[in-house]
Amino acid sequence: MADRRLQVFHAVAKHLSFTKAGEALHMTQPAVTFQIKQLEERFNTRLFDRGGGRISLTPAGALVLDYADRILSLSTEMDIRVAEMTGQMSGSLLVGASTTIAEFILPPILGEFNVRYPQVRARLTVGNLEVITNAIAAHTLDIGLVEAEVSHPTLQCEVCGDDELQVICMPTHPLSQHSEVEARSLLAHEFIAREAGSGTREVTDDYLRACGVEPGSLKTLMELSSPEALKGFVATGLGFSIVSRASFEKERQLGTLIAIPLRPRLKRAISLVYPRERFRSRVVLTFVEFARSRLREMSA
């Protein structure tokens, strides 16, 4: 229901690019430029400064963006409220998740939700903790599932389960003879790590330090950004790694790798994150309740 010119302006202002705005709106760049020109004529002032191949908001443009955020948000809320009054469970669901959750925990949750509510269009964004929380705070995602407890003034964080990290190795690896492994025992063996900045890497490093082991003292052979690649290298016998128990189910069933718990156990929270004070559609509220229930069942 919102003015199309305002929608186009909002996209350009958010991307600070006519090209990217056109791609997001499925419009040609000349069409985007035309809509912006019409809006500038409507207000009789420039909304963007153009120069050096870049654009930026003028003071008037910044003011219009502030109102556009509120107008478009209210327009979306109106559409959702009217649909809910007619009994429809439909619309979009923008979910963000960290790599491990997106690959190994979320698929059955989203799959079952889709079976129950086929008119809901879910879209998944994968990123690290910072990317996901920033997107939720900026209202470009509805909800996030992350492997941490989030402290943010505008976000609600609800711990709904936990995920245990365990040592994995080949059945012929020396560590495979242990029922539990202490952190100091890892120093004698080659280590295949997740990349710096990943949630798994951060929680593993914190755990090692708490156990009196400096992460840099491990015999790290390589750092990998993909959990699947990491398991593939461990399966060659090059060394051990530490991964989420949820990411290991296939290898456990096949018997290609084995998992050994750490002593003391290494567990991290799985949390639902969503805006603290903002209108939430029935789709989002329903998914929060559904995901909360499934995560608790998985952790039981």
Side-chain angles (χ1 to χ4, degrees):
M1 293 290 292
D3 190 304
R4 183 60 171 172
R5 296 171 300 179
L6 203 59
Q7 293 173 332
V8 174
F9 165 80
H10 188 265
V12 175
K14 289 297 185 180
H15 291 284
L16 289 179
S17 167
F18 284 80
T19 301
K20 291 181 179 179
E23 291 172 354
L25 297 171
H26 305 289
M27 296 172 62
T28 65
Q29 185 172 334
V32 171
T33 302
F34 176 74
Q35 294 286 345
I36 296 299
K37 183 179 178 181
Q38 280 200 324
L39 195 61
E40 289 181 327
E41 290 177 352
R42 163 71 177 79
F43 291 122
N44 194 31
T45 187
R46 288 183 299 105
L47 301 177
F48 295 98
D49 282 326
R50 304 162 177 83
R54 297 183 178 183
I55 65 170
S56 60
L57 286 166
T58 64
L63 179 65
V64 173
L65 177 58
D66 180 54
Y67 279 95
D69 278 331
R70 286 181 275 172
I71 291 169
L72 294 175
S73 178
L74 283 171
S75 178
T76 300
E77 181 178 336
M78 179 182 67
D79 292 342
I80 291 169
R81 288 297 197 196
V82 172
E84 290 178 352
M85 287 184 66
T86 63
Q88 300 177 38
M89 177 66 87
S90 61
S92 63
L93 177 67
L94 307 179
V95 183
S98 59
T99 304
T100 299
I101 291 179
E103 292 186 3
F104 304 106
I105 296 176
L106 196 52
I109 295 176
L110 278 178
E112 186 177 345
F113 190 79
N114 179 254
V115 170
R116 290 194 178 195
Y117 307 105
Q119 299 304 314
V120 176
R121 301 181 306 280
R123 188 170 70 197
L124 175 62
T125 296
V126 182
N128 61 31
L129 177 65
E130 183 179 6
V131 168
I132 298 302
T133 53
N134 286 344
I136 297 170
H139 306 318
T140 56
L141 287 176
D142 295 319
I143 187 170
L145 284 83
V146 297
E147 299 140 330
E149 293 188 55
V150 175
S151 178
H152 191 287
T154 67
L155 300 182
Q156 180 75 34
C157 176
E158 181 179 348
V159 176
C160 296
D162 58 51
D163 176 35
E164 183 175 358
L165 276 69
Q166 299 179 336
V167 171
I168 63 166
C169 61
M170 289 280 288
T172 54
H173 192 280
L175 288 173
S176 68
Q177 305 305 311
H178 300 274
S179 59
E180 292 182 317
V181 181
E182 292 185 348
R184 290 196 175 277
S185 301
L186 303 175
L187 292 168
H189 307 281
E190 286 75 18
F191 179 49
I192 301 171
R194 281 293 301 273
E195 82 285 8
S198 75
T200 298
R201 173 67 174 270
E202 290 181 7
V203 74
T204 300
D205 285 356
D206 289 344
Y207 173 85
L208 291 171
R209 292 189 186 99
C211 293
V213 174
E214 181 56 41
S217 64
L218 269 65
K219 298 178 181 178
T220 303
L221 291 179
M222 61 185 72
E223 299 179 355
L224 301 171
S225 61
S226 163
E228 290 295 341
L230 186 148
K231 290 185 293 181
F233 277 99
V234 171
T236 67
L238 286 175
F240 77 93
S241 190
I242 299 175
V243 303
S244 161
R245 181 178 60 186
S247 71
F248 186 70
E249 189 57 35
K250 179 179 68 176
E251 290 75 17
R252 189 191 310 275
Q253 292 179 3
L254 294 174
T256 54
L257 297 173
I258 66 167
I260 309 116
L262 286 156
R263 189 172 68 215
R265 296 295 179 97
L266 171 53
K267 294 187 178 183
R268 59 184 173 183
I270 298 179
S271 303
L272 287 167
V273 183
Y274 44 90
R276 185 183 299 276
E277 294 179 1
R278 183 173 181 253
F279 163 77
R280 289 191 288 273
S281 69
R282 188 157 63 100
V283 170
V284 173
L285 291 173
T286 302
F287 181 76
V288 167
E289 183 64 33
F290 183 83
R292 178 192 297 131
S293 173
R294 292 298 176 269
L295 287 171
R296 287 174 177 166
E297 288 175 5
M298 291 178 179
S299 300

